[in-house]
Amino acid sequence: KEEAIAKIKEDHRGELSELESRLKVEKEREVSAAISKTEQEALDRLTKVKIDHDNEISKYKAAVTKEKEATEGVKLKLEQETHSRVLSEDRLKDVKEEFRYFINSLPG
């Protein structure tokens, strides 16, 4: 009986070897496909993260630009108010001087 089993194995050794070889190739192909799929999914996730990150940076830069513009507007307004105040103070000094002159020019 064992001789018969050994003879059958020997008779089909080539077919068995070919089948094992095909199974090995198919398994390697499946593993390679799974790795490629996983790599592509990881790449897709990283791409999405990068896009989201870039969008956040753009929003931040826009907010910073808007704040800078608002700050420049306030700064300009303060400079204008300061200039107006200086002109008003100069005018007030002139009026005080004219008033003193007027008072001193009065008789008596």
Side-chain angles (χ1 to χ4, degrees):
K1 185 176 183 181
E2 287 185 25
E3 278 183 31
I5 293 172
K7 185 172 184 337
I8 291 172
K9 280 185 179 179
E10 187 62 38
D11 290 345
H12 296 288
R13 175 180 244 109
E15 293 170 359
L16 183 61
S17 178
E18 183 181 328
L19 182 59
E20 287 174 344
S21 176
R22 273 197 241 153
L23 286 173
K24 183 178 178 185
V25 167
E26 187 60 34
K27 183 177 181 181
E28 288 174 358
R29 195 175 297 145
E30 287 176 10
V31 168
S32 178
I35 289 171
S36 293
K37 181 181 177 190
T38 302
E39 288 174 345
Q40 186 59 47
E41 288 171 351
L43 182 60
D44 292 346
R45 284 193 305 273
L46 285 173
T47 301
K48 184 185 181 316
V49 167
K50 169 103 173 69
I51 290 169
D52 291 347
H53 183 259
D54 289 348
N55 289 339
E56 287 299 315
I57 288 174
S58 293
K59 287 178 190 175
Y60 172 76
K61 285 181 177 179
V64 167
T65 299
K66 186 177 177 182
E67 281 301 314
K68 282 182 179 179
E69 289 171 358
T71 301
E72 285 300 316
V74 169
K75 184 178 173 183
L76 180 61
K77 188 173 181 178
L78 284 173
E79 287 173 356
Q80 290 170 342
E81 288 175 359
T82 300
H83 181 69
S84 293
R85 191 184 76 226
V86 167
L87 291 176
S88 295
E89 287 173 354
D90 286 349
R91 179 70 186 130
L92 181 61
K93 284 179 188 175
D94 291 345
V95 169
K96 284 180 180 179
E97 200 59 40
E98 288 175 15
F99 186 70
R100 255 191 227 117
Y101 180 77
F102 173 74
I103 294 293
N104 288 336
S105 68
L106 289 175

